[in-house]
Structures are given as structure tokens and as C-alpha cells.
Amino acid sequence: MSAPAQIIVEDVRHHYRPAVGREVLALENVSLQVREREFLALLGPSGCGKSTLLYLIGGFLPIETGKVLVDGRPVAGPGPDRGIVFQNFALFPWKTVRKNVLYGLERQAMRREEREARAQAFIDLVGLTGFEESYPSQLSGGMKQRTAIARTLAFDPHMLLMDEPFGALDAQTRSLMQGELLAIWEKTRKTVIFVTHDVHEAVYLAGRVAVMSARPGRIKTIVDTRFDKADPEVRRTKAFVDKVDEVWNLVRDEAVKALEKRP
Amino acid sequence: MTAAMRRVAWGAARLAPIVALLAAWEIFARSGAVTPFMLPALSAVAERIYDDALDGELFINIGVTLYRALAGFAIAAVGGVVLGAAMARNAVARWFFDPIISVGFPMPKIAFLPVVILWLGLYDVPKITMVVLDAIFPVVTATIAGIAGVEKELLWSARNMGAKDRELLWQVLLPAALPQILTGLQVALPIALIVVVVTEMQMGGYGLGGAMMQASRFANSRGVFAGIVEIAVIGYALVAVMAALRRRLLGWHQEAQEGAGV
Amino acid sequence: MMTYPLFKLLIRHAPLLILAMAWEAASRLHLVSPLALPPLTDVARAWFELVQSGELLSNGLSSLYRAGAGLALAIMAGGALGIFMASSRPVNAMLGPLVELFYPMPKSALIPVTVLWLGFGDGSKILLIFLGCMLPVTIGAYNGARGSDRHLIWSARSMGARRLRMVWDVVVPSALPELLNGVRTALALSFILLVSSELIVARQGFGYLIGYLGANGSYEAMFAVVLTVAFTGFLADRVYQAVVARVLRWRE
């Protein structure tokens, strides 16, 4: 591992400042390194600040203390090098699927035919062929999320930041989408930082799982979760089940702490 | 029943009470229970409208009233959205205009009509100004609410894809706020009509309000009722047009809102 | 130091003070003609004179009586109508289209006809406000009653509540927020209709006073009454909102 990590987070602290009430320490001295093409999960109980950390990397929140470096440069704001996918899809409801996917592409120097072809390619990749002219209000949750993923992949970001993207979907759709995401990742091999509170999901999708403590969040442990994901029965192997247990135990103490704390 | 038949039946069911009302009007007026002065027969009123249409009076009055109402509405619409957007995005603008909007909204601004006449004279300008004064408030509050209500993830996604500030306003904020802005406009349009009619009644001259006041002065009850019918039809038509416009513009929107919940 | 909440209130309304000062300055410095815009201090003086002479009060009471009576009638009739429509399918089918038809009609169009029927006095104004303000209340009551939780109604029914009693115990309280919102609209509308009709056809009242003073050239006094009316409307709305908040909280 001679090349420096693609994303370096060093001693980051962050306060959450609501409009009314006192400020709360959300993240406390978080340090993390993510390698290129790695699939890393940020796992922790509610309120542990995992989304906050993602937003800091994404440049949506200002950095108070500490450093966040992406590709060697400090983060100064949002940009197309770090593509984000949100839990509530954040699709433009007044645009069709195609127009949504095209939005990111329109901001890049590309000829019209190239843009259209690229958009179509990604719509096909996520399995939404035939729905190009549909509006988000006509789509199911799973389809909306696929549109969001297509939209983010289309403008070729260096990495994907995913904030509990399957949290709003029902259990069956979520399971299907996990498989699809892995398939897409195999094909495109981007760096992914995936925020979730679901242990099973984290262990299945990620190569490494960073377990966070309850608020104020720190990185508690990082667990290696590489498995042969090509094996369709991998989730039933003993190694996998043991790993889920191991991670769950790490998370459980934090989850209890989070429950006991005042909201 | 096929879908088409069902739609016709539905339309007929909604029309029936109105037809019944009109019939009741005619019968009651002719029955002698009230004088023709108090309640002229529908047929007499219709005749009066027809006469007005024949000699052109009707169209001049409608045209003048509509011009004033729509001009004022257009200015209030554009000005209201601009002001609302400025207030939603700029803290100084919000601080300065918030009490003005908040205090001004529930005021019967029609009370300022004599002042406006004092300043602006007697023709179209004071009337249009009055309309703008009244109609701008619902547009401003609706715009502020609409823009403030845009979910932050939408804005973040757009910025993530490289959108600059200027682009954010036109490409994301305004389209996302459009449903609420349109609701504000749908409230403002009837207000515009009410205000125009009142100013015309006060100041006289051409226009549906002026004509009605004239008829009232001459104790011409047919003219007064004709005016009511004309204004009612115009009002209804404007609201229907706005509703259709809303459906057109917001085809993508999940809820098809159309104003009154009846 | 002033108490913090009071300080915040002052900061929030400071732009109004700035406007008031700008008014005074513009007028005194002749930036605008003091005939068209008399200095605010002169307007204030005229206001006191009107209060002392009793003119403001007598006209004001006349106006408030008319608006109050018309509004009270509108609330009772409109509320009853709305609830009635919400609880009976056939009534709704009959009256619904009519309400939809009359709602967009500018109520100011009724001014000449009420004058035709009842002349220049109180009667025509009360009738105007009654007719004009009824529909917002009806719609508020209707929407509120329709939103009544079905489960609440079923529970009440199963506990043996008879129809009318149930309406009173269950439907009305849950309909209250929407109904009160409709009344708020009617309140604002009542002021508009009151002032409109008094500006055009009256021998008494705020609107009449404004017109009379304007025709006389007493512009300071005219401005004083205009501002009085405007602020009365504003205060009425604020007081109403406070009362509503109290009522709704007491219900929780």
C-alpha cells in the first residue's frame, strides 16, 4: 500500500448547532483513511454522527477542526468529484428520469450526443430501460433510488458517498438493491463510503466496516469484511455469520449507550 | 357504465344544483312574492346583459376591468416572487420586510384607497396600484414558504453536480417551490378582482364596478343584478383558468391540488 | 438592560420604526409634498383631536357593530352549513356545486345590491358582510368536519352516542382548527367589505369618515383614520390568533 489513501480524515471535530437550543458535539476526534477503489461502510447507532462525517467529506458542512483531504487536496465545498446519494433520493420531481440523469452531465464539457448516450448507458445499467420519460412521482422507491444512483454515476465522480441509500425502502427491495449495488460496483469499481445502521448490510456490501461510537462519534474499530461476494450463498456461510455477530457485538454496546442518552 | 358515461353523469350531477338554483330564481321572481325591483327575474337580467352585449357596453366594461385586474396581478406576481425569493435567501431583506409583510397582510389595505387616489389621480394607475398592494402579500408569503420548504438534499445534490449559486435559484429553488408559489398566485387572483371592483365602484367610470354603481344610483335593479352575474362569471372563469394552468404546470406533482377543498 | 424578549421584539419590528422615521423626515424636509404626505407627528395630533371630539369613537363603534353583527351571523350560518354538508351526502351533493360556484365571486359585487335593498344604513352593511363572509367559514367547517377521524366517530357511535350529540362531542372539536382558520379568513374579509362599502355608500363609520375628511381637505385627519382602520384590522387578526391558540391549547 504505497500510494497515499484517497480520503484522509484527521482529528475532525464537529458541533451540531440547531436553530434553537444548545450546540451538541457530534464528532470527536475522528480519524479515518479510505483507500482508492475500496468499499467502506460507516456503521453506528442513530445519532452517532456517521452522516455528519459523510457530509464533511462531501463538503456540505464546514470543517471546524481537523483535516479532510480528498485526492491530496483539502475539501472546500461540494463538487462532482465526490458523488452523493441520499436516503430520500433527492430527485428533481419536475424532471423525468432522463433529465435527472442528464443534469450532472450538462455541467461537464461534453457534446450533446455524448451526454445523451452516456445517460442512456447508465439508465440501462441500473435496469430502468423504458422508464426514461417517467417522473419520479410515478416510480416506486426502489426505482427512484436506482435513478439517483444512475444520476450520480453518470457524471463519473471519483468516489461515491452514500447516506443510508436503502433506508427508505421496504425489506425485499432493500435486499434486491444491495445485490444490484454490488453488481454495479464490480463493474465500475469506484471508491464507496456507505453509511448505514444495518449491520448485515454493512458486512455484506463493504470490504471494511468502520464501527462508530455513540454520540459524540469516534471511530471505535475497523473490521475487515472481505468475502467472496460472487458466491450467492455467501450470506449463509459460517464465516459470514460469525463476522456479522462480531460486528454486531461491537455495535450493540454503542447502540445501548445511544438509547440511554437523552436525544 | 363506461368511463365516458360516468364523466357525463358526474358533470350533470354537479350542474344540476346550479340549474335548479337558476330555475328557482326565475320562478320565485315571477311568483309575485317579491317585487321585480327587489329581485328581477333571471330572464329580465339576461335580457339586460344581452342588450349590453349588443351595444358593446358589456365588452368595454369587461375589458377595462380585466385589464386593470390582470395588470395589477401580473405586477404583484412578479414583484411578489422576487421579493419572496430575496427574503428567503437574504437575511437583511428578511429582517427588513418581515414586519412589513406580517403587519400589512391582515390590514384592510382598501382603507388606503383615498390616499392612493390623492397621490396618483383618478384613472387606471391608482386602481392598478391598489390591486398590487393587496395581491402582493399572499404571493410573497407563499414564495417564502415554498423556497424555505425545499429539502436541503435537493440543493446539496445540485451543488454536488456542480451547480453554481445563480443556477441553484433558477434551476432548483424556483421549480421546487413552484407548487406553493402557484397556490399563492391562486389566492392573489380573486383578491385582484375584488379590489378592482371596489376601486371602480368608488371612483366610477368604465368597468364592471363603475357600471354597477351607476345602475344602483339610478335604482336600476336589473343593471345591478346583471353586474353581479357578469362579475361572478368572470371570477369563476379566472379561477378555472388558474386551476387548469396549475394542472398543466404541475403535471409532475404528486398531489393534484386545485384550491378550494369542497 | 431591557429584558431579552422585549429587546428581540423591538429588533424584529425595527423596520417599522425606520419607516415611520423616514415618513416624518421625508415630509418635514419637503422631499415629498407635505400636502400629499403630512408629517407623521401632525397625523398623530389630528388623531388625538379626533378622539377628543368623539368623532373617531362614534364612527368606529358604528363600523365595529356592523362588522361584528355580520361576522357573527356569517360564522353561525356558515359553520352550521359546512358541518351539515360534511355529515350528509345528499346535502353535499346539492349544495357543494353551489358553494364552488359562489366562492370565486368577488363579494364586493354585492355592495350595490345590498344598498338597493337596504339603503345606506347599518342593514345593508350587515347583510353584505354576512353574505360575503359566510363561505370561507363554510369551507373551513366542511374541511374540518370531513377530516374528523373516522375511528373517533366509530368509537363514539359504539358507545351509544346519538347523531346530534356525536356531532357536538366529536365532530366539532376535531373540526375546530380548520374551522377557526376559515373564521380567520372571514375576519379579514369582513374588514375589507366593511371599509369598501363605507367608502362608497355610507353616512357613518370609519370608511365614511375617511371619505368625508378627504373631501374636506383635512388630510392629516384622513391619514389618522386610515391608519386607525389599518391597525384595527391588524390587531383584530393578532388578537384572534392569540385567542385561537389559547382555545386549541386548552383542548389538548
Side-chain angles (χ1 to χ4, degrees):
Chain A
M1 221 188 346
S2 47
Q6 189 175 30
I7 301 163
I8 300 176
V9 177
E10 224 176 83
D11 294 329
V12 163
R13 302 184 102 220
H14 190 83
H15 287 90
Y16 171 57
R17 294 191 168 84
V20 282
R22 277 174 311 147
E23 64 178 34
V24 171
L25 186 59
L27 294 173
E28 179 179 41
N29 288 356
V30 171
S31 294
L32 181 68
Q33 295 200 0
V34 184
R35 294 187 296 271
E36 214 172 327
R37 302 193 197 292
E38 158 165 44
F39 197 126
L40 177 97
L42 281 179
L43 176 69
S46 301
C48 71
K50 48 195 194 291
S51 293
T52 308
L53 181 56
L54 197 75
Y55 297 158
L56 283 168
I57 298 173
F60 303 108
L61 295 174
I63 297 167
E64 294 167 17
T65 349
K67 274 198 297 201
V68 178
L69 297 171
V70 169
D71 288 328
R73 284 188 308 269
V75 166
D81 58 319
R82 289 148 287 145
I84 192 149
V85 177
F86 288 107
Q87 183 178 102
N88 61 8
F89 327 120
L91 295 174
F92 300 125
W94 60 91
K95 289 188 193 279
T96 57
V97 165
R98 190 207 303 281
K99 289 283 188 188
N100 262 285
V101 175
L102 276 172
Y103 188 76
L105 294 170
E106 281 160 4
R107 255 133 217 79
Q108 316 215 326
M110 238 187 253
R111 274 177 11 256
R112 180 116 168 286
E113 301 85 35
E114 221 187 308
R115 280 206 299 262
E116 306 267 343
R118 204 177 154 80
Q120 189 64 47
F122 281 98
I123 292 175
D124 294 336
L125 177 66
V126 298
L128 281 176
T129 326
F131 289 96
E132 294 86 351
E133 302 306 317
S134 302
Y135 286 100
S137 60
Q138 299 168 303
L139 302 175
S140 71
M143 293 163 87
K144 283 192 239 196
Q145 197 52 289
R146 283 192 247 168
T147 310
I149 292 174
R151 181 175 70 174
T152 308
L153 284 175
F155 60 86
D156 200 24
H158 296 182
M159 66 197 73
L160 279 182
L161 306 174
M162 306 184 86
D163 187 12
E164 305 207 51
F166 307 140
L169 306 174
D170 64 86
Q172 286 112 316
T173 315
R174 195 180 316 159
S175 194
L176 285 167
M177 292 293 298
Q178 286 166 1
E180 286 189 28
L181 179 64
L182 262 189
I184 294 173
W185 183 68
E186 295 286 336
K187 280 211 203 106
T188 56
R189 279 287 168 167
K190 301 242 180 235
T191 317
V192 176
I193 304 182
F194 189 99
V195 166
T196 181
H197 61 268
D198 181 342
V199 175
H200 204 112
E201 186 173 65
V203 173
Y204 176 55
L205 290 175
R208 280 197 304 158
V209 175
V211 180
M212 289 184 72
S213 69
R215 199 192 326 131
R218 281 170 296 110
I219 306 286
K220 189 167 154 172
T221 346
I222 301 187
V223 180
D224 199 315
T225 55
R226 271 173 297 201
F227 291 95
D228 178 15
K229 308 282 169 66
D231 176 7
E233 297 294 309
V234 68
R235 279 186 269 207
R236 298 216 238 158
T237 63
K238 184 168 190 311
F240 188 91
V241 173
D242 284 344
K243 185 63 72 174
V244 170
D245 250 354
E246 180 191 333
V247 176
W248 171 226
N249 282 321
L250 287 168
V251 176
R252 185 184 40 196
D253 301 330
E254 302 305 319
V256 169
K257 270 193 235 161
L259 264 180
E260 287 171 350
K261 267 188 156 57
R262 255 191 333 205
Chain B
M1 265 205 211
T2 65
M5 276 177 75
R6 214 174 306 142
R7 233 166 336 149
V8 168
W10 183 238
R14 285 161 53 100
L15 225 50
I18 299 173
V19 170
L21 183 69
L22 294 175
W25 174 357
E26 181 77 3
I27 295 171
F28 189 63
R30 282 183 192 263
S31 69
V34 284
T35 65
F37 174 74
M38 293 253 332
L39 187 70
L42 174 57
S43 44
V45 172
E47 206 186 310
R48 167 65 195 251
I49 297 179
Y50 184 64
D51 287 339
D52 284 341
L54 275 186
D55 65 24
E57 278 273 318
L58 182 66
F59 300 109
I60 296 179
N61 286 327
I62 291 182
V64 163
T65 301
L66 270 182
Y67 158 65
R68 292 162 177 161
L70 292 176
F73 173 70
I75 297 174
V78 172
V81 171
V82 168
L83 182 57
M87 282 175 73
R89 309 272 285 153
N90 181 309
V92 173
R94 185 162 49 245
W95 167 78
F96 186 72
F97 286 103
D98 197 60
I100 299 176
I101 302 281
S102 160
V103 168
F105 206 151
M107 281 184 173
K109 293 166 281 291
I110 196 79
F112 289 97
L113 181 58
V115 174
V116 169
I117 294 177
L118 185 64
W119 290 346
L120 295 172
L122 279 179
Y123 300 108
D124 284 340
V125 176
K127 302 189 177 77
I128 296 180
T129 306
M130 214 55 233
V131 169
V132 173
L133 254 181
D134 271 274
I136 203 169
F137 284 84
V139 180
V140 172
T141 43
T143 304
I144 294 177
I147 290 184
V150 177
E151 49 179 31
K152 71 173 194 290
E153 285 89 358
L154 213 59
L155 288 169
W156 283 3
S157 286
R159 293 189 67 198
N160 185 226
M161 291 188 262
K164 316 274 195 324
D165 273 341
R166 184 45 93 66
E167 293 175 316
L168 273 184
L169 179 65
W170 287 104
Q171 293 175 359
V172 183
L173 277 177
L174 285 179
L178 195 60
Q180 263 184 293
I181 294 180
L182 278 183
T183 302
L185 291 178
Q186 284 179 286
V187 170
L189 187 55
I191 290 179
L193 195 57
I194 293 181
V195 171
V196 155
V197 168
V198 173
T199 56
E200 287 177 348
M201 288 180 184
Q202 225 278 9
M203 292 165 64
Y206 279 113
L208 291 171
M212 268 178 68
M213 221 45 230
Q214 180 89 318
S216 170
R217 275 192 203 105
F218 286 115
N220 182 341
S221 68
R222 280 189 205 182
V224 169
F225 275 87
I228 293 180
V229 170
E230 289 153 14
I231 294 180
V233 168
I234 300 278
Y236 188 78
L238 284 177
V239 166
V241 166
M242 273 292 335
L245 199 68
R246 187 193 177 94
R247 275 194 301 270
R248 200 76 194 299
L249 287 173
L250 296 185
W252 48 264
H253 198 59
Q254 267 167 308
E255 323 148 23
Q257 296 183 43
E258 284 181 33
V262 175
Chain C
M1 190 59 196
M2 286 186 256
T3 54
Y4 187 56
L6 193 62
F7 187 57
K8 273 181 85 172
L9 203 69
L10 222 62
I11 294 282
R12 199 144 46 97
H13 290 99
L16 295 174
L17 287 168
I18 295 176
L19 278 180
M21 293 195 295
W23 174 341
E24 181 76 4
S27 183
R28 290 266 176 219
L29 299 175
H30 288 250
L31 293 172
V32 288
S33 154
L35 281 168
L37 188 68
L40 193 51
T41 40
D42 286 352
V43 171
R45 198 177 340 123
W47 188 82
F48 278 110
E49 285 170 13
L50 281 169
V51 171
Q52 274 184 318
S53 71
E55 264 183 293
L56 195 66
L57 206 60
S58 65
N59 283 293
L61 284 175
S62 174
S63 289
L64 291 175
Y65 160 65
R66 292 159 171 175
L71 191 58
L73 288 171
I75 292 175
M76 290 190 292
L81 180 64
I83 293 185
F84 195 29
M85 280 172 64
S87 35
S88 158
R89 274 276 192 82
V91 171
N92 188 24
M94 262 202 306
L95 296 179
L98 293 179
V99 171
E100 232 182 282
L101 180 68
F102 286 118
Y103 191 65
M105 186 184 84
K107 310 300 181 297
S108 37
L110 295 172
I111 295 177
V113 78
T114 53
V115 167
L116 210 63
W117 285 341
L118 294 173
F120 273 41
D122 291 341
S124 60
K125 315 285 179 293
I126 296 178
L127 179 63
L128 173 71
I129 293 173
F130 166 57
L131 289 176
C133 296
M134 207 174 75
L135 285 188
V137 180
T138 302
I139 290 182
Y142 177 80
N143 284 337
R146 287 267 294 206
S148 257
D149 194 345
R150 257 198 311 200
H151 298 163
L152 276 180
I153 295 183
W154 289 345
S155 305
R157 276 263 188 82
S158 71
M159 288 192 262
R162 292 187 59 237
R163 201 84 198 280
L164 206 61
R165 182 77 216 229
M166 183 188 65
V167 167
W168 186 247
D169 276 343
V170 178
V171 176
V172 168
S174 63
L176 224 41
E178 286 250 29
L179 170 63
L180 290 175
N181 207 27
V183 172
R184 183 177 176 206
T185 308
L187 180 64
L189 195 54
S190 71
F191 269 92
I192 295 175
L193 289 173
L194 175 75
V195 176
S196 306
S197 59
E198 286 184 349
L199 277 176
I200 304 170
V201 277
R203 294 201 190 94
Q204 251 196 317
F206 274 141
Y208 164 75
L209 190 57
I210 293 175
Y212 167 76
L213 291 170
N216 256 5
S218 318
Y219 296 135
E220 293 95 356
M222 182 183 88
F223 270 91
V225 184
V226 167
L227 288 177
T228 308
V229 173
F231 275 101
T232 306
F234 164 72
L235 271 176
D237 181 71
R238 281 291 192 271
V239 167
Y240 179 75
Q241 277 186 286
V243 169
V244 165
R246 184 67 62 82
V247 166
L248 289 181
R249 206 180 330 138
W250 163 75
R251 276 180 6 92
E252 290 304 316

